[in-house]
Amino acid sequence: MIMETAKRTDGIDNSAVKTLRVAIDGPAGAGKSTVAQLVAKRLGLLYIDTGAMYRAATWLAVKNGIDVKDGDAIAKAAGEAVIKLEPGDETSSNRVRVFVDEHEVTQAIRSHEISELVSPVSVHSPLRKVMVAQQKELAKRGGVVLDGRDIGTVVMPDADIKIYLTASTKVRAQRRMKDQEALGENPDYNKLVAAIAERDNRDSTRADSPLKQADDAIAIITDNMSIDQVVDAVVRLCVGE
Ligand code: CDP
């Protein structure tokens, strides 16, 4: 996989912060992507949405008619593709823009279909090997915020700051409902709760790099916190306040 990412933003002027490596992990709907993106912007770091990479690989598998159980074929297709992440803007509701070869898949990778398939696709070790190698390479220089499931445990076990963001299943389902409504979908709340519980279960029980709080991660429970409050808390930890 040839992976490209866009440049860093300016952020605050503090050279110690500029080389930080920040890991943010947690279950679906805890607010990781939004928080990670805003923290990166505030601190002038590069944001890498690893979930978007697994979603792009899932989109590619569906497009090529590959069976989601065929880990080798999925890894091969992802390895041969050019996956590109660019900072979000108003055209993408501020979410990272994602390209697979010549296709923009920013919206498509957030669909219900891909959200259902991404977790079964992400269990495959051959695919994880391709993805993790690329993520380690991007993180090597420092000055990065990565979010995902295995960042503090596998991708950057030596990260400077490790955050584990979580919230109750109910709150996470409510947040997901809003996301999907914004995409013009008509989600059923109870089905969303069940889907989130199933994804949590699959992500935390898989053999290869399960979702798990790293021993040295700081847990933030976001049920009663606004995005701004969570971002402030993470930024304070990063600048050592
Ligand atoms: O945004 P949301 O929390 O729904 O998920 P995401 O971060 O886009 O990740 C989607 C799925 O990709 C997760 O449920 C995991 O199955 C997988 N994933 C992973 O296995 N490892 C990562 N580092 C990131 C995502």
Side-chain angles (χ1 to χ4, degrees), residues 36-57:
Q37 182 159 261
L38 291 170
V39 167
K41 198 168 171 192
R42 286 258 290 270
L43 299 176
L45 307 175
L46 180 69
Y47 167 50
I48 299 163
D49 180 346
T50 67
M53 295 168 66
Y54 287 96
R55 285 172 181 270

Side-chain angles (χ1 to χ4, degrees), residues 9-215:
T9 46
D10 288 343
I12 62 168
D13 186 18
N14 176 336
S15 53
V17 168
K18 292 277 183 256
T19 56
L20 275 183
R21 300 160 84 232
V22 183
I24 303 185
D25 288 300
K32 293 182 307 290
S33 316
T34 312
V35 167
Q37 182 159 261
L38 291 170
V39 167
K41 198 168 171 192
R42 286 258 290 270
L43 299 176
L45 307 175
L46 180 69
Y47 167 50
I48 299 163
D49 180 346
T50 67
M53 295 168 66
Y54 287 96
R55 285 172 181 270
T58 305
W59 178 88
L60 194 62
V62 170
K63 177 176 161 282
N64 292 344
I66 302 171
D67 184 346
V68 294
K69 294 197 190 75
D70 191 345
D72 287 327
I74 297 171
K76 183 165 182 285
E80 288 168 356
V82 177
I83 297 180
K84 193 165 84 172
L85 305 182
E86 282 186 4
D89 55 23
E90 50 293 347
T91 67
S92 63
S93 314
N94 288 317
R95 292 211 77 146
V96 164
R97 293 181 70 191
V98 184
F99 300 81
V100 178
D101 297 325
E102 72 277 20
H103 306 277
E104 171 154 16
V105 298
T106 310
Q107 303 274 350
I109 62 167
R110 307 284 164 196
S111 70
H112 184 63
E113 184 193 13
I114 300 298
S115 298
E116 294 258 289
L117 293 175
V118 61
S119 181
V121 162
S122 303
V123 300
H124 298 302
S125 293
L127 175 67
R128 302 202 70 83
K129 235 170 127 179
V130 172
M131 296 285 175
V132 169
Q134 194 63 46
Q135 292 156 7
K136 282 185 186 253
E137 186 60 34
L138 290 167
K140 206 166 65 181
R141 288 188 303 149
V144 287
V145 180
L146 272 72
D147 82 323
R149 301 292 187 286
D150 57 347
I151 309 303
T153 51
V154 176
V155 179
M156 297 199 295
D158 54 348
D160 301 296
I161 307 277
K162 295 184 188 178
I163 307 287
Y164 191 81
L165 272 196
T166 187
S168 64
T169 310
K170 224 169 112 181
V171 166
R172 292 188 285 124
Q174 282 160 357
R175 291 178 184 161
R176 226 359 80 90
M177 188 139 163
K178 280 200 193 138
D179 290 350
Q180 294 196 357
E181 281 170 353
L183 284 176
E185 294 185 10
N186 188 15
D188 176 283
Y189 175 73
N190 291 324
K191 281 192 186 146
L192 270 181
V193 170
I196 283 191
E198 192 192 332
R199 189 130 73 95
D200 287 354
N201 183 45
R202 196 184 274 113
D203 287 349
S204 353
T205 56
R206 69 181 173 217
D208 189 343
S209 22
L211 166 67
K212 164 170 169 287
Q213 181 177 341
D215 294 338

